[in-house]
Amino acid sequence: QLRLVESGGGLVQPGGSLKLSCAASGFAFYDYVIYWFRQAPGKEREGVSCINKSGGNTNYADSVKGRFTISRDNAKGTVDLQMNSLKPEDTAVYYCAAGRTPFMCVAGVSARDFSSWGQGTQVTVSS
């Protein structure tokens, strides 16, 4: 059974950094595209970033481009999201999701396409 566990969230000042991790188990991790989504209070869950199966292709939302970096370790079954230059508008609960073919690492993938989610990890950017 597909299981994803997010960790690494916390409270950070504007301009600070955090590194989120998504640990996967129960499925062939290396065969899945991994996505990061986030959901702020009162807003829909939105795509942040994704990484393809090999790690050779990534995609970022315009709002985080140049500040966030996604990476994966297929041997460990983990995907990290390094977040730098954090802004108050990055405050949200962050979730990871996994998709097998025909899922692709491209812009516009909707959170509605996924039925399995972890508990998420809270990121709060505030002074």
Side-chain angles (χ1 to χ4, degrees):
Q1 182 179 355
L2 189 151
R3 184 165 183 257
L4 299 165
V5 178
E6 303 90 346
S7 64
L11 173 64
V12 64
Q13 291 186 344
S17 298
L18 280 175
K19 187 176 184 179
L20 305 185
S21 290
C22 171
S25 62
F27 64 102
F29 178 79
Y30 56 86
D31 206 27
Y32 283 71
V33 179
I34 303 297
Y35 304 81
W36 279 100
F37 289 86
R38 67 185 181 187
Q39 187 166 20
K43 295 189 177 181
E44 290 192 359
R45 197 167 295 188
E46 63 173 1
V48 174
S49 182
C50 61
I51 187 165
N52 72 343
K53 292 183 284 187
S54 70
N57 181 53
T58 59
N59 191 278
Y60 299 91
D62 288 343
S63 59
V64 307
K65 204 168 291 183
R67 300 187 296 121
F68 290 12
T69 303
I70 190 171
S71 61
R72 70 186 293 162
D73 186 330
N74 284 344
K76 294 182 179 179
T78 58
V79 170
D80 291 337
L81 186 68
Q82 177 66 45
M83 307 187 298
N84 298 328
S85 302
L86 283 162
K87 304 175 181 180
E89 50 263 44
D90 294 318
T91 295
V93 179
Y94 284 71
Y95 302 88
C96 56
R100 206 172 182 180
T101 303
F103 281 92
M104 298 175 65
C105 180
V106 294
V109 176
S110 171
R112 295 187 181 91
D113 293 331
F114 301 93
S115 58
S116 182
W117 296 94
Q119 82 288 351
T121 186
Q122 175 71 49
V123 172
T124 303
V125 185
S126 175
S127 56

PDB file of all heavy atoms in Angstrom, residues 63-94:
ATOM      1  N   SER A  63       5.785  30.742  -8.512  1.00  0.00           N
ATOM      2  CA  SER A  63       5.922  31.420  -7.223  1.00  0.00           C
ATOM      3  C   SER A  63       7.134  30.944  -6.419  1.00  0.00           C
ATOM      4  O   SER A  63       7.558  31.640  -5.484  1.00  0.00           O
ATOM      5  CB  SER A  63       4.651  31.232  -6.395  1.00  0.00           C
ATOM      6  OG  SER A  63       4.391  29.864  -6.181  1.00  0.00           O
ATOM      7  N   VAL A  64       7.673  29.774  -6.755  1.00  0.00           N
ATOM      8  CA  VAL A  64       8.803  29.241  -5.982  1.00  0.00           C
ATOM      9  C   VAL A  64      10.062  29.062  -6.827  1.00  0.00           C
ATOM     10  O   VAL A  64      11.125  28.716  -6.294  1.00  0.00           O
ATOM     11  CB  VAL A  64       8.448  27.904  -5.305  1.00  0.00           C
ATOM     12  CG1 VAL A  64       7.169  28.047  -4.491  1.00  0.00           C
ATOM     13  CG2 VAL A  64       8.330  26.775  -6.320  1.00  0.00           C
ATOM     14  N   LYS A  65       9.942  29.315  -8.111  1.00  0.00           N
ATOM     15  CA  LYS A  65      11.073  29.096  -9.016  1.00  0.00           C
ATOM     16  C   LYS A  65      12.267  29.947  -8.588  1.00  0.00           C
ATOM     17  O   LYS A  65      12.143  31.136  -8.284  1.00  0.00           O
ATOM     18  CB  LYS A  65      10.636  29.450 -10.446  1.00  0.00           C
ATOM     19  CG  LYS A  65      11.424  28.779 -11.535  1.00  0.00           C
ATOM     20  CD  LYS A  65      10.740  28.958 -12.876  1.00  0.00           C
ATOM     21  CE  LYS A  65       9.452  28.182 -12.982  1.00  0.00           C
ATOM     22  NZ  LYS A  65       8.807  28.286 -14.307  1.00  0.00           N
ATOM     23  N   GLY A  66      13.427  29.328  -8.531  1.00  0.00           N
ATOM     24  CA  GLY A  66      14.638  30.026  -8.119  1.00  0.00           C
ATOM     25  C   GLY A  66      14.876  30.014  -6.617  1.00  0.00           C
ATOM     26  O   GLY A  66      15.963  30.384  -6.159  1.00  0.00           O
ATOM     27  N   ARG A  67      13.871  29.588  -5.854  1.00  0.00           N
ATOM     28  CA  ARG A  67      14.019  29.549  -4.394  1.00  0.00           C
ATOM     29  C   ARG A  67      13.955  28.121  -3.854  1.00  0.00           C
ATOM     30  O   ARG A  67      14.579  27.811  -2.841  1.00  0.00           O
ATOM     31  CB  ARG A  67      12.916  30.378  -3.735  1.00  0.00           C
ATOM     32  CG  ARG A  67      12.911  31.841  -4.134  1.00  0.00           C
ATOM     33  CD  ARG A  67      11.895  32.639  -3.309  1.00  0.00           C
ATOM     34  NE  ARG A  67      10.522  32.219  -3.535  1.00  0.00           N
ATOM     35  CZ  ARG A  67       9.704  31.773  -2.573  1.00  0.00           C
ATOM     36  NH1 ARG A  67      10.141  31.687  -1.323  1.00  0.00           N
ATOM     37  NH2 ARG A  67       8.458  31.420  -2.866  1.00  0.00           N
ATOM     38  N   PHE A  68      13.186  27.273  -4.511  1.00  0.00           N
ATOM     39  CA  PHE A  68      13.016  25.889  -4.062  1.00  0.00           C
ATOM     40  C   PHE A  68      13.767  24.949  -5.005  1.00  0.00           C
ATOM     41  O   PHE A  68      13.839  25.176  -6.214  1.00  0.00           O
ATOM     42  CB  PHE A  68      11.541  25.503  -4.058  1.00  0.00           C
ATOM     43  CG  PHE A  68      10.687  26.166  -3.011  1.00  0.00           C
ATOM     44  CD1 PHE A  68      11.147  27.241  -2.265  1.00  0.00           C
ATOM     45  CD2 PHE A  68       9.408  25.701  -2.765  1.00  0.00           C
ATOM     46  CE1 PHE A  68      10.356  27.841  -1.297  1.00  0.00           C
ATOM     47  CE2 PHE A  68       8.590  26.282  -1.804  1.00  0.00           C
ATOM     48  CZ  PHE A  68       9.077  27.362  -1.081  1.00  0.00           C
ATOM     49  N   THR A  69      14.277  23.860  -4.429  1.00  0.00           N
ATOM     50  CA  THR A  69      14.941  22.824  -5.218  1.00  0.00           C
ATOM     51  C   THR A  69      14.457  21.459  -4.769  1.00  0.00           C
ATOM     52  O   THR A  69      14.506  21.142  -3.576  1.00  0.00           O
ATOM     53  CB  THR A  69      16.464  22.904  -5.067  1.00  0.00           C
ATOM     54  OG1 THR A  69      16.917  24.207  -5.445  1.00  0.00           O
ATOM     55  CG2 THR A  69      17.145  21.859  -5.950  1.00  0.00           C
ATOM     56  N   ILE A  70      14.003  20.663  -5.725  1.00  0.00           N
ATOM     57  CA  ILE A  70      13.526  19.320  -5.424  1.00  0.00           C
ATOM     58  C   ILE A  70      14.587  18.311  -5.852  1.00  0.00           C
ATOM     59  O   ILE A  70      15.279  18.511  -6.855  1.00  0.00           O
ATOM     60  CB  ILE A  70      12.178  19.053  -6.138  1.00  0.00           C
ATOM     61  CG1 ILE A  70      11.534  17.754  -5.635  1.00  0.00           C
ATOM     62  CG2 ILE A  70      12.347  19.027  -7.652  1.00  0.00           C
ATOM     63  CD1 ILE A  70      10.101  17.556  -6.138  1.00  0.00           C
ATOM     64  N   SER A  71      14.711  17.242  -5.078  1.00  0.00           N
ATOM     65  CA  SER A  71      15.662  16.178  -5.412  1.00  0.00           C
ATOM     66  C   SER A  71      15.117  14.859  -4.883  1.00  0.00           C
ATOM     67  O   SER A  71      14.254  14.846  -4.005  1.00  0.00           O
ATOM     68  CB  SER A  71      17.037  16.469  -4.816  1.00  0.00           C
ATOM     69  OG  SER A  71      16.967  16.551  -3.407  1.00  0.00           O
ATOM     70  N   ARG A  72      15.645  13.749  -5.400  1.00  0.00           N
ATOM     71  CA  ARG A  72      15.175  12.450  -4.923  1.00  0.00           C
ATOM     72  C   ARG A  72      16.333  11.483  -4.812  1.00  0.00           C
ATOM     73  O   ARG A  72      17.342  11.598  -5.518  1.00  0.00           O
ATOM     74  CB  ARG A  72      14.092  11.895  -5.846  1.00  0.00           C
ATOM     75  CG  ARG A  72      14.546  11.462  -7.217  1.00  0.00           C
ATOM     76  CD  ARG A  72      13.345  11.074  -8.084  1.00  0.00           C
ATOM     77  NE  ARG A  72      12.666   9.872  -7.618  1.00  0.00           N
ATOM     78  CZ  ARG A  72      11.437   9.533  -7.974  1.00  0.00           C
ATOM     79  NH1 ARG A  72      10.744  10.314  -8.795  1.00  0.00           N
ATOM     80  NH2 ARG A  72      10.890   8.405  -7.517  1.00  0.00           N
ATOM     81  N   ASP A  73      16.153  10.513  -3.933  1.00  0.00           N
ATOM     82  CA  ASP A  73      17.110   9.431  -3.750  1.00  0.00           C
ATOM     83  C   ASP A  73      16.315   8.134  -3.858  1.00  0.00           C
ATOM     84  O   ASP A  73      15.638   7.733  -2.897  1.00  0.00           O
ATOM     85  CB  ASP A  73      17.788   9.554  -2.378  1.00  0.00           C
ATOM     86  CG  ASP A  73      18.897   8.546  -2.181  1.00  0.00           C
ATOM     87  OD1 ASP A  73      18.821   7.438  -2.768  1.00  0.00           O
ATOM     88  OD2 ASP A  73      19.837   8.835  -1.429  1.00  0.00           O
ATOM     89  N   ASN A  74      16.380   7.510  -5.010  1.00  0.00           N
ATOM     90  CA  ASN A  74      15.582   6.293  -5.227  1.00  0.00           C
ATOM     91  C   ASN A  74      16.034   5.136  -4.352  1.00  0.00           C
ATOM     92  O   ASN A  74      15.244   4.260  -4.014  1.00  0.00           O
ATOM     93  CB  ASN A  74      15.621   5.902  -6.697  1.00  0.00           C
ATOM     94  CG  ASN A  74      14.720   6.786  -7.554  1.00  0.00           C
ATOM     95  OD1 ASN A  74      13.849   7.496  -7.046  1.00  0.00           O
ATOM     96  ND2 ASN A  74      14.931   6.766  -8.854  1.00  0.00           N
ATOM     97  N   ALA A  75      17.288   5.117  -3.986  1.00  0.00           N
ATOM     98  CA  ALA A  75      17.783   4.050  -3.114  1.00  0.00           C
ATOM     99  C   ALA A  75      17.164   4.156  -1.717  1.00  0.00           C
ATOM    100  O   ALA A  75      16.882   3.136  -1.069  1.00  0.00           O
ATOM    101  CB  ALA A  75      19.299   4.100  -3.027  1.00  0.00           C
ATOM    102  N   LYS A  76      16.964   5.383  -1.270  1.00  0.00           N
ATOM    103  CA  LYS A  76      16.399   5.596   0.059  1.00  0.00           C
ATOM    104  C   LYS A  76      14.876   5.742   0.039  1.00  0.00           C
ATOM    105  O   LYS A  76      14.225   5.663   1.080  1.00  0.00           O
ATOM    106  CB  LYS A  76      17.001   6.852   0.703  1.00  0.00           C
ATOM    107  CG  LYS A  76      18.478   6.744   1.004  1.00  0.00           C
ATOM    108  CD  LYS A  76      18.982   8.018   1.674  1.00  0.00           C
ATOM    109  CE  LYS A  76      20.451   7.922   1.998  1.00  0.00           C
ATOM    110  NZ  LYS A  76      20.968   9.161   2.625  1.00  0.00           N
ATOM    111  N   GLY A  77      14.325   5.985  -1.147  1.00  0.00           N
ATOM    112  CA  GLY A  77      12.879   6.197  -1.235  1.00  0.00           C
ATOM    113  C   GLY A  77      12.447   7.535  -0.665  1.00  0.00           C
ATOM    114  O   GLY A  77      11.403   7.624   0.006  1.00  0.00           O
ATOM    115  N   THR A  78      13.249   8.553  -0.913  1.00  0.00           N
ATOM    116  CA  THR A  78      12.933   9.868  -0.365  1.00  0.00           C
ATOM    117  C   THR A  78      13.005  10.954  -1.441  1.00  0.00           C
ATOM    118  O   THR A  78      13.760  10.836  -2.412  1.00  0.00           O
ATOM    119  CB  THR A  78      13.891  10.257   0.766  1.00  0.00           C
ATOM    120  OG1 THR A  78      15.234  10.232   0.276  1.00  0.00           O
ATOM    121  CG2 THR A  78      13.772   9.299   1.942  1.00  0.00           C
ATOM    122  N   VAL A  79      12.200  11.983  -1.235  1.00  0.00           N
ATOM    123  CA  VAL A  79      12.257  13.182  -2.055  1.00  0.00           C
ATOM    124  C   VAL A  79      12.369  14.372  -1.109  1.00  0.00           C
ATOM    125  O   VAL A  79      11.600  14.478  -0.144  1.00  0.00           O
ATOM    126  CB  VAL A  79      11.004  13.335  -2.929  1.00  0.00           C
ATOM    127  CG1 VAL A  79      10.976  14.706  -3.592  1.00  0.00           C
ATOM    128  CG2 VAL A  79      10.975  12.247  -3.997  1.00  0.00           C
ATOM    129  N   ASP A  80      13.319  15.239  -1.369  1.00  0.00           N
ATOM    130  CA  ASP A  80      13.523  16.424  -0.545  1.00  0.00           C
ATOM    131  C   ASP A  80      13.087  17.675  -1.297  1.00  0.00           C
ATOM    132  O   ASP A  80      13.172  17.739  -2.517  1.00  0.00           O
ATOM    133  CB  ASP A  80      14.997  16.565  -0.157  1.00  0.00           C
ATOM    134  CG  ASP A  80      15.449  15.479   0.803  1.00  0.00           C
ATOM    135  OD1 ASP A  80      14.591  14.898   1.496  1.00  0.00           O
ATOM    136  OD2 ASP A  80      16.657  15.217   0.842  1.00  0.00           O
ATOM    137  N   LEU A  81      12.660  18.652  -0.534  1.00  0.00           N
ATOM    138  CA  LEU A  81      12.334  19.960  -1.087  1.00  0.00           C
ATOM    139  C   LEU A  81      13.097  20.998  -0.269  1.00  0.00           C
ATOM    140  O   LEU A  81      12.723  21.274   0.888  1.00  0.00           O
ATOM    141  CB  LEU A  81      10.833  20.236  -1.038  1.00  0.00           C
ATOM    142  CG  LEU A  81      10.384  21.532  -1.717  1.00  0.00           C
ATOM    143  CD1 LEU A  81      10.577  21.436  -3.231  1.00  0.00           C
ATOM    144  CD2 LEU A  81       8.918  21.840  -1.397  1.00  0.00           C
ATOM    145  N   GLN A  82      14.173  21.511  -0.833  1.00  0.00           N
ATOM    146  CA  GLN A  82      14.956  22.551  -0.177  1.00  0.00           C
ATOM    147  C   GLN A  82      14.311  23.893  -0.485  1.00  0.00           C
ATOM    148  O   GLN A  82      14.170  24.271  -1.649  1.00  0.00           O
ATOM    149  CB  GLN A  82      16.394  22.534  -0.689  1.00  0.00           C
ATOM    150  CG  GLN A  82      17.272  23.630  -0.103  1.00  0.00           C
ATOM    151  CD  GLN A  82      17.507  23.462   1.379  1.00  0.00           C
ATOM    152  OE1 GLN A  82      17.798  22.355   1.846  1.00  0.00           O
ATOM    153  NE2 GLN A  82      17.376  24.539   2.139  1.00  0.00           N
ATOM    154  N   MET A  83      13.926  24.606   0.564  1.00  0.00           N
ATOM    155  CA  MET A  83      13.221  25.871   0.412  1.00  0.00           C
ATOM    156  C   MET A  83      14.069  26.993   0.985  1.00  0.00           C
ATOM    157  O   MET A  83      14.358  27.012   2.183  1.00  0.00           O
ATOM    158  CB  MET A  83      11.867  25.807   1.119  1.00  0.00           C
ATOM    159  CG  MET A  83      11.007  24.621   0.702  1.00  0.00           C
ATOM    160  SD  MET A  83       9.343  24.676   1.380  1.00  0.00           S
ATOM    161  CE  MET A  83       9.700  24.607   3.132  1.00  0.00           C
ATOM    162  N   ASN A  84      14.483  27.896   0.146  1.00  0.00           N
ATOM    163  CA  ASN A  84      15.298  29.039   0.550  1.00  0.00           C
ATOM    164  C   ASN A  84      14.538  30.340   0.328  1.00  0.00           C
ATOM    165  O   ASN A  84      13.534  30.368  -0.386  1.00  0.00           O
ATOM    166  CB  ASN A  84      16.605  29.071  -0.256  1.00  0.00           C
ATOM    167  CG  ASN A  84      17.456  27.843  -0.029  1.00  0.00           C
ATOM    168  OD1 ASN A  84      17.461  27.253   1.046  1.00  0.00           O
ATOM    169  ND2 ASN A  84      18.188  27.432  -1.062  1.00  0.00           N
ATOM    170  N   SER A  85      15.031  31.406   0.923  1.00  0.00           N
ATOM    171  CA  SER A  85      14.423  32.735   0.771  1.00  0.00           C
ATOM    172  C   SER A  85      12.914  32.673   1.004  1.00  0.00           C
ATOM    173  O   SER A  85      12.125  33.207   0.217  1.00  0.00           O
ATOM    174  CB  SER A  85      14.716  33.286  -0.629  1.00  0.00           C
ATOM    175  OG  SER A  85      16.108  33.359  -0.856  1.00  0.00           O
ATOM    176  N   LEU A  86      12.538  32.049   2.080  1.00  0.00           N
ATOM    177  CA  LEU A  86      11.117  31.833   2.350  1.00  0.00           C
ATOM    178  C   LEU A  86      10.386  33.145   2.601  1.00  0.00           C
ATOM    179  O   LEU A  86      10.948  34.107   3.172  1.00  0.00           O
ATOM    180  CB  LEU A  86      10.946  30.890   3.533  1.00  0.00           C
ATOM    181  CG  LEU A  86      11.183  29.420   3.182  1.00  0.00           C
ATOM    182  CD1 LEU A  86      11.435  28.586   4.428  1.00  0.00           C
ATOM    183  CD2 LEU A  86      10.007  28.854   2.402  1.00  0.00           C
ATOM    184  N   LYS A  87       9.142  33.172   2.162  1.00  0.00           N
ATOM    185  CA  LYS A  87       8.291  34.353   2.289  1.00  0.00           C
ATOM    186  C   LYS A  87       7.049  33.998   3.112  1.00  0.00           C
ATOM    187  O   LYS A  87       6.647  32.820   3.152  1.00  0.00           O
ATOM    188  CB  LYS A  87       7.850  34.820   0.903  1.00  0.00           C
ATOM    189  CG  LYS A  87       8.983  35.103  -0.058  1.00  0.00           C
ATOM    190  CD  LYS A  87       8.445  35.445  -1.436  1.00  0.00           C
ATOM    191  CE  LYS A  87       9.573  35.716  -2.424  1.00  0.00           C
ATOM    192  NZ  LYS A  87       9.049  36.056  -3.777  1.00  0.00           N
ATOM    193  N   PRO A  88       6.414  34.964   3.713  1.00  0.00           N
ATOM    194  CA  PRO A  88       5.174  34.670   4.459  1.00  0.00           C
ATOM    195  C   PRO A  88       4.136  33.954   3.609  1.00  0.00           C
ATOM    196  O   PRO A  88       3.389  33.113   4.130  1.00  0.00           O
ATOM    197  CB  PRO A  88       4.702  36.065   4.882  1.00  0.00           C
ATOM    198  CG  PRO A  88       5.954  36.860   5.004  1.00  0.00           C
ATOM    199  CD  PRO A  88       6.837  36.362   3.899  1.00  0.00           C
ATOM    200  N   GLU A  89       4.091  34.235   2.333  1.00  0.00           N
ATOM    201  CA  GLU A  89       3.100  33.592   1.467  1.00  0.00           C
ATOM    202  C   GLU A  89       3.424  32.126   1.192  1.00  0.00           C
ATOM    203  O   GLU A  89       2.625  31.417   0.572  1.00  0.00           O
ATOM    204  CB  GLU A  89       2.945  34.357   0.145  1.00  0.00           C
ATOM    205  CG  GLU A  89       4.251  34.667  -0.566  1.00  0.00           C
ATOM    206  CD  GLU A  89       4.754  36.073  -0.263  1.00  0.00           C
ATOM    207  OE1 GLU A  89       4.710  36.496   0.924  1.00  0.00           O
ATOM    208  OE2 GLU A  89       5.231  36.730  -1.217  1.00  0.00           O
ATOM    209  N   ASP A  90       4.574  31.652   1.646  1.00  0.00           N
ATOM    210  CA  ASP A  90       4.886  30.223   1.548  1.00  0.00           C
ATOM    211  C   ASP A  90       4.267  29.439   2.701  1.00  0.00           C
ATOM    212  O   ASP A  90       4.332  28.203   2.716  1.00  0.00           O
ATOM    213  CB  ASP A  90       6.407  30.000   1.564  1.00  0.00           C
ATOM    214  CG  ASP A  90       7.090  30.576   0.335  1.00  0.00           C
ATOM    215  OD1 ASP A  90       6.547  30.425  -0.777  1.00  0.00           O
ATOM    216  OD2 ASP A  90       8.165  31.178   0.499  1.00  0.00           O
ATOM    217  N   THR A  91       3.682  30.129   3.655  1.00  0.00           N
ATOM    218  CA  THR A  91       3.054  29.468   4.796  1.00  0.00           C
ATOM    219  C   THR A  91       1.911  28.575   4.327  1.00  0.00           C
ATOM    220  O   THR A  91       0.992  29.026   3.633  1.00  0.00           O
ATOM    221  CB  THR A  91       2.528  30.511   5.789  1.00  0.00           C
ATOM    222  OG1 THR A  91       3.631  31.237   6.332  1.00  0.00           O
ATOM    223  CG2 THR A  91       1.745  29.858   6.911  1.00  0.00           C
ATOM    224  N   ALA A  92       1.980  27.305   4.692  1.00  0.00           N
ATOM    225  CA  ALA A  92       0.988  26.325   4.250  1.00  0.00           C
ATOM    226  C   ALA A  92       1.342  24.971   4.853  1.00  0.00           C
ATOM    227  O   ALA A  92       2.420  24.797   5.418  1.00  0.00           O
ATOM    228  CB  ALA A  92       0.978  26.219   2.731  1.00  0.00           C
ATOM    229  N   VAL A  93       0.423  24.028   4.707  1.00  0.00           N
ATOM    230  CA  VAL A  93       0.741  22.632   4.964  1.00  0.00           C
ATOM    231  C   VAL A  93       1.222  22.043   3.644  1.00  0.00           C
ATOM    232  O   VAL A  93       0.559  22.192   2.613  1.00  0.00           O
ATOM    233  CB  VAL A  93      -0.474  21.858   5.488  1.00  0.00           C
ATOM    234  CG1 VAL A  93      -0.103  20.387   5.732  1.00  0.00           C
ATOM    235  CG2 VAL A  93      -0.995  22.484   6.779  1.00  0.00           C
ATOM    236  N   TYR A  94       2.375  21.394   3.690  1.00  0.00           N
ATOM    237  CA  TYR A  94       2.993  20.836   2.494  1.00  0.00           C
ATOM    238  C   TYR A  94       2.776  19.329   2.466  1.00  0.00           C
ATOM    239  O   TYR A  94       2.980  18.637   3.475  1.00  0.00           O
ATOM    240  CB  TYR A  94       4.482  21.166   2.468  1.00  0.00           C
ATOM    241  CG  TYR A  94       4.753  22.604   2.071  1.00  0.00           C
ATOM    242  CD1 TYR A  94       4.439  23.640   2.938  1.00  0.00           C
ATOM    243  CD2 TYR A  94       5.311  22.917   0.835  1.00  0.00           C
ATOM    244  CE1 TYR A  94       4.670  24.965   2.576  1.00  0.00           C
ATOM    245  CE2 TYR A  94       5.552  24.231   0.460  1.00  0.00           C
ATOM    246  CZ  TYR A  94       5.229  25.243   1.329  1.00  0.00           C
ATOM    247  OH  TYR A  94       5.448  26.557   0.970  1.00  0.00           O
TER     248      TYR A  94
END
